[in-house]
Structure formats: C-alpha cells, structure tokens
Amino acid sequence: MDFALNEDQEMFRSYLRKYLDKVGQTKVAREFIKGNTNEFTVVMNGLAELGATAINIPEENEGLGLGAVDLVPVFEEMGRVVLPGIYLETMAFAVPLLEKYGTEEQKAKYLPDIAAGNKQLSLAWLEPVKDYSLDQIECAVKEEGETLVINGVKELVPDADFADAFIVVVRNSNDGLSLILVDRDDELSIRPQKCMDESRHLGEITFDEWAVPKSQLLGSWNQGVNLLEEGILYLNAGLSSLLVGGMEKVVGMATEYANIREQFGQPIGRFQAIKHTIVDMKMDLEMARSLSYYASWTLEEMDAEKQKAAVYSARAFATEAFIRLASENIQIHGGIGFTEEIDCHLFLKRARFYEHYLGSVRDYNELLASALGWNKNETSKNMKAEKVVHGQ
C-alpha cells in the first residue's frame, strides 16, 4: 500500500487544520478544563459543518459513505489540539457496529443524527474495581416482555455528561454478553468522576431497574463478545491516529523551542543531546504514523487476523511512543515545561489517559504476539491474551 493519504484526504486535512487553528488550537481544551464547554460545542458544530461527523456513515443514512482511512486526517488533527469529547467512540466504535449489526430502525434512529453532528455515543464497559476482562462483567440484563431491564454500575464512561446514548456491555441471564443501546435520560443516574487528563470528562452510570425497549439490543443475544472484538479494532485504529496527531504536535513544539531557546550564545538545538533526542522523536513519530495508516487500511482490505496484528501493533507502539515523546518535550523545554502556561502538560496528560484505555500496552502486546503466532505455547497464551478482549 501507499503509506500516505491521497490528495482529497490531505485537502480535507488542510481545511480541518485551518479551522482548528482559527478557533485557537488548544484553547478549546483549556476552556474545557476551566468548565467552559460552550467553545467545545461550537467547535464540534463547526466540524460537523465541514463534514467530519458524516465521513464513514453510509449515504443512505445521510453520510458520505467513506471508510476508516478517511477518518485518519480528522483523528490526527484532533490529536494535534487535544480536542475533548467522544468523536473517537462515536465514529470509530458506535458507527461501524451500527452500520454492520444495527437494525434498520436503529440505523434510522442514530446514524443521520450522528452525521449531522446532533448525536454522540459513548461506551459503557468498565465496572467498579474491575478491569476490561469480560468475564468480570456483572451488569445484568433481563427480559420482561418487550422490555429489557438493566441493573448494574458502569464507571469511567468517557464524557458521559455529553453523550446522547451509550453502548452498554451487559450479561444475560444465560451468562452470555450482549450490547444494549441506552439513550440518555434526565432520570439516568450519572455521577462525574475525576480524571488526570482534565480535558476529558468521565462518569459513573448506575442502572437501577433501568428499562429500555427490546429493540435497543445491538446485534443478537450473546453476540457481545464478537461485536466488542470488532468494534475495538476500529476504535484502536482510530485511537492510533489520534495519538499520532498528538505526537506530531509535540515534535513540532520541541523543535521550535530548541531553535529559539539559547544557551551559551547559541540555540540549544545545536547541542547533540537535544539534536539526537529530537531525531529519535521524529523517528518514533514516523513509525507510529506508518503503523496507524496501515492499521486503518487493513480494516477495509484485509482479513480479521491481519487486522488484529496491524491494529494491536499500532496501538501498542503509538501509546508508548506518545508518552515517551510528551515526556521528552517537557525535558527539552526545561523548567517552563513543568508549568501550565505552555501546552506540554496537556499532551503528557492525554498520553497517560490513553495508556490504560480499554487495556494496557502490555495487554495489547500480548494480543499482538498471539495474532502474529509468536507464542511458543500458542494455545494457552492465546487464551490468556484473548481474555483481555473476550474475557473467556
């Protein structure tokens, strides 16, 4: 494949960059941290007018009918400005699953509104004092006629206060897992939770005999594991591009500062220690970019096993590299790198936020090893690695 975006994708990227530069780049995240979320809402409306929320939605559902690779420039540009929100969860998790497994009623209910920028979906997976292993899911659902009744607690739900609906991972009475679409309601109990990355909001949702129509079941009963596995591939491919965008900005910041900050009468960028560090940062960036492009490309062109290897390698490498680059950026900036006046801390906090999001780097490395067949005792280790996603 050609490890570069085509002319149309690059042109769309330039529109997005001009728009996000015009609204102040990281200013939106900074206002979001202060509690002023109005600017974020305005920016998301602007991105919707540019078509960013319609990219991978089918044309029959009022979208543009494009693919996962066409989302890459959007994710990268959002990563460059550490934009808050659940665009990632909506476009790279909810939309692919709704498109493939949603009923016609569900598609008509959600996809046109997502395309217009009027609706966003989040993922309610993690439960208190649990990890992402699905065998630990206790949030229960039971059938009562034409109604599904949910009981349980989900925590660390991304931007629960902004989401219009949630895809909730639940356990059936026959011990299988399913996904339920739950619309936001004023009576739904949502408690804000603190987050190290203050440009992201998290929430705890309590379902107490919460009833939804049976038509809100996404896919079939007991199909939750397969849906999650597929959805997580799309989400992590998108996340890799988001991380690449952040890395690109960090490398730019470090290079610019190294060229203007003088020590002993010359820019610090002339010292080998700084010069070599920036070269290493640039190499990590380009490696992560190639891996993320390939990961998104495999979602449309390759079989499931090759998709897993590509996506898990991109996710694991980009996550570690982003943390490394954001940390080096602070070191290059010296003392001011530790202050809140400049943006270095925003990128390091965002990098750390994604370090354990939907599994740790170690988890994804194990999944990658299984996908590549590197395990000596492949059967037992595959079972261990798949537990992260499947919980089985």
Side-chain angles (χ1 to χ4, degrees), residues 20 158 193 205 220 302 354:
L20 292 173
Q193 294 182 293
I205 305 176
S220 305
M302 306 296 280
Y354 283 122

Side-chain angles (χ1 to χ4, degrees), residues 87-105:
Y87 180 88
L88 172 70
E89 288 78 3
T90 301
M91 305 304 293
F93 183 79
V95 168
L97 292 185
L98 280 166
E99 182 184 354
K100 189 168 182 179
Y101 299 102
T103 64
E104 291 304 315
E105 180 187 0

Side-chain angles (χ1 to χ4, degrees), residues 240 243-244 246-248 250-251 277 280-289 291 313-329 347-348 351-352 355 361 365:
S240 300
L243 299 177
V244 167
M247 293 169 67
E248 182 181 16
V250 163
V251 173
T277 298
D280 290 341
M281 293 169 71
K282 180 70 173 173
M283 291 178 66
D284 279 346
L285 167 62
E286 294 308 322
M287 177 67 78
R289 193 195 304 276
L291 289 171
S313 62
R315 163 63 196 272
F317 183 86
T319 304
E320 283 193 317
F322 190 19
I323 294 171
R324 188 163 55 245
L325 266 61
S327 302
E328 293 288 4
N329 187 37
F347 291 92
L348 181 59
R352 289 294 185 185
E355 185 178 10
V361 172
N365 277 327

Side-chain angles (χ1 to χ4, degrees), residues 30-249:
R30 286 182 172 276
E31 291 298 315
F32 195 87
I33 292 171
K34 295 175 184 175
N36 177 15
T37 59
N38 293 332
E39 287 198 30
F40 165 67
T41 303
V42 171
V43 169
M44 289 307 299
N45 290 338
L47 291 173
E49 291 179 4
L50 287 172
T53 54
I55 290 173
N56 58 334
I57 292 178
E59 292 180 277
E60 57 268 30
N61 295 116
E62 302 180 25
L64 299 176
L66 301 175
V69 177
D70 297 288
L71 286 170
V72 168
V74 188
F75 286 129
E76 288 190 358
E77 292 309 307
M78 287 184 169
R80 287 184 75 252
V81 300
V82 287
L83 195 69
I86 46 174
Y87 180 88
L88 172 70
E89 288 78 3
T90 301
M91 305 304 293
F93 183 79
V95 168
L97 292 185
L98 280 166
E99 182 184 354
K100 189 168 182 179
Y101 299 102
T103 64
E104 291 304 315
E105 180 187 0
Q106 290 170 348
K107 292 177 183 177
K109 180 179 179 180
Y110 292 103
L111 293 181
D113 278 342
I114 293 173
N118 298 327
K119 189 165 284 186
Q120 299 181 84
L121 280 72
S122 189
L123 171 61
W125 177 332
L126 198 61
E127 298 182 5
V129 202
K130 305 284 180 59
D131 58 26
Y132 286 102
S133 297
L134 294 185
D135 57 356
Q136 298 191 33
I137 295 294
E138 293 183 355
C139 187
V141 62
K142 58 183 178 182
E143 294 181 76
E144 292 185 357
E146 293 302 312
T147 301
L148 301 175
V149 181
I150 306 172
N151 282 288
V153 179
K154 296 291 183 180
E155 68 173 16
L156 304 183
V157 178
D159 292 84
D161 51 345
F162 281 100
D164 300 287
F166 306 92
I167 295 180
V168 185
V169 185
V170 294
R171 187 170 296 281
N172 313 322
S173 56
N174 61 0
D175 208 29
L177 294 180
S178 298
L179 303 185
I180 308 291
L181 289 158
V182 177
D183 294 329
R184 184 186 184 81
D185 190 289
D186 290 340
E187 295 182 4
L188 189 61
S189 174
I190 301 177
R191 184 176 67 87
Q193 294 182 293
K194 289 185 177 180
C195 180
M196 176 184 63
D197 178 4
E198 296 166 311
S199 65
R200 295 298 308 262
H201 285 183
L202 298 173
E204 179 186 88
I205 305 176
T206 301
F207 298 98
D208 184 10
E209 292 292 312
W210 192 258
V212 299
K214 191 180 286 185
S215 59
Q216 291 295 93
L217 173 68
L218 181 59
S220 305
W221 283 111
N222 305 322
Q223 199 182 7
V225 172
N226 293 334
L227 265 66
L228 277 172
E229 181 183 31
E230 192 166 341
I232 289 303
L233 285 176
Y234 277 89
L235 192 149
N236 279 310
L239 175 56
S240 300
S241 297
L242 201 69
L243 299 177
V244 167
M247 293 169 67
E248 182 181 16
K249 181 63 178 180

